[in-house]
Amino acid sequence: MSMLAKYTEQAKTMSGDALTHAIDDIKACWLANEDWQEPAHPYGAKLWAEWDAYIVELQKRRSR
């Protein structure tokens, strides 16, 4: 299973507040270490997969 698929499934089980908090946490991680902003970095790839999954899930919920 890809990281994106993993976090997409996880996002479906999270509350809106938890998703928002996780997105804020990802932003803080990127500010703490610029290397993590790069998708080629192993931790950066994880953060981007989470970011994509959580943002898409919030957008889906808001469009309903």
Side-chain angles (χ1 to χ4, degrees):
M1 175 184 285
S2 72
M3 279 192 286
L4 181 56
K6 173 185 172 183
Y7 292 115
T8 297
E9 289 304 311
Q10 181 177 324
K12 293 175 185 177
T13 67
M14 297 168 68
S15 70
D17 287 341
L19 289 166
T20 301
H21 178 73
I23 290 166
D24 290 342
D25 188 50
I26 292 167
K27 291 178 189 177
C29 287
W30 284 334
L31 289 174
N33 188 330
E34 291 183 15
D35 290 343
W36 295 342
Q37 294 178 21
E38 297 299 322
H41 187 283
Y43 192 60
K46 175 200 175 297
L47 292 173
W48 278 107
E50 285 184 281
W51 172 269
D52 288 346
Y54 300 163
I55 291 290
V56 168
E57 182 63 24
L58 280 176
Q59 289 175 339
K60 285 180 183 177
R61 291 180 188 184
R62 290 179 181 157
S63 68
R64 292 181 190 164

